[in-house]
Amino acid sequence: MKTGEKWGFSAAASAGCALLVAGPATADPNYVRTTVDAAVPGAAFVIAGNVADNPRPEIVVSAFGQITFGPSGPIFPAAGTVTLYKNAQPGNAPNGQIANWNKTEIVGLADAITFPNRAGLADINSDGRADVILPGGFFWDAFTGNNRGSLTWWENDANGQNWIRHDIVTGSLPVYHSVVYDDFDGDAVED
């Protein structure tokens, strides 16, 4: 993190999701770890943004699921999850509480997204709410011939409380690892 930033995020595959919170902006800030959710199996990617239309940013965590080890090596989960964490304290007062978070499932195991990768936030349908664009798939599938990759758009239907799935593409490639959403050809329509 850069000097002067107020907060940051970290995710570790077996450690869940945590915030690293800085004290006052100084040349050498002191960071304190605050666990948001210690029970996220396979936490992989974390982004922050205003998803629920309030003064504080929300946290969106992609998790691969629990990887186990058998006699032949690792056993990878069939699906992962994406979860929204909203601060339980309203408002944005200086030094506000960060210990309590409300959790909303965006993508569940039943949605069968293999290895949900780093999500992106964008208002896809121009309704004023940030939606989630999710790439998925496992890069080792490229070597095994499995085409489990996916790009999905999760429409924010109720201020971060209800999510509607829209498939962009599924099963055509082994993996979609990242996604960007912008007007690349200058026609005033995002690509």
Side-chain angles (χ1 to χ4, degrees):
M1 288 186 34
K2 298 176 191 160
T3 300
E5 288 185 346
K6 300 252 182 200
W7 45 265
F9 300 94
S10 70
S14 62
C17 176
L19 288 172
L20 297 177
V21 181
T26 64
D28 187 20
N30 296 316
Y31 291 94
V32 177
R33 178 186 171 119
T34 300
T35 301
V36 174
D37 188 349
V40 181
F45 296 95
V46 179
I47 60 171
N50 192 334
V51 177
D53 192 28
N54 64 36
R56 292 185 182 211
E58 284 75 44
I59 304 168
V60 176
V61 178
S62 298
F64 292 163
Q66 189 65 47
I67 298 171
T68 58
F69 292 91
S72 299
I75 300 168
F76 298 104
T81 61
V82 178
T83 306
L84 173 72
Y85 294 89
K86 180 180 176 186
N87 195 300
Q89 179 68 35
N92 198 22
N95 298 315
Q97 80 83 21
I98 55 170
N100 300 308
W101 297 83
N102 296 321
K103 185 175 171 177
T104 302
E105 180 180 274
I106 298 172
V107 177
L109 295 176
D111 293 307
I113 301 293
T114 302
F115 285 84
N117 290 300
R118 186 179 191 276
L121 297 177
D123 183 6
I124 305 296
N125 57 348
S126 301
D127 65 356
R129 293 186 297 261
D131 303 310
V132 172
I133 307 171
L134 183 65
F138 187 41
F139 71 96
W140 284 110
D141 279 350
F143 303 105
T144 62
N146 290 324
N147 288 335
R148 300 185 293 171
S150 62
L151 283 173
T152 52
W153 157 39
W154 298 82
E155 181 182 350
N156 183 349
D157 186 48
N159 205 24
Q161 296 300 308
N162 187 44
W163 298 87
I164 300 170
R165 178 181 179 158
H166 301 272
D167 289 337
I168 299 169
V169 62
T170 60
S172 64
L173 291 174
V175 62
Y176 293 90
H177 196 67
S178 187
V179 64
V180 291
Y181 183 76
D182 210 327
D183 179 11
F184 292 99
D185 57 5
D187 65 356
V189 177
E190 275 77 5
D191 305 306

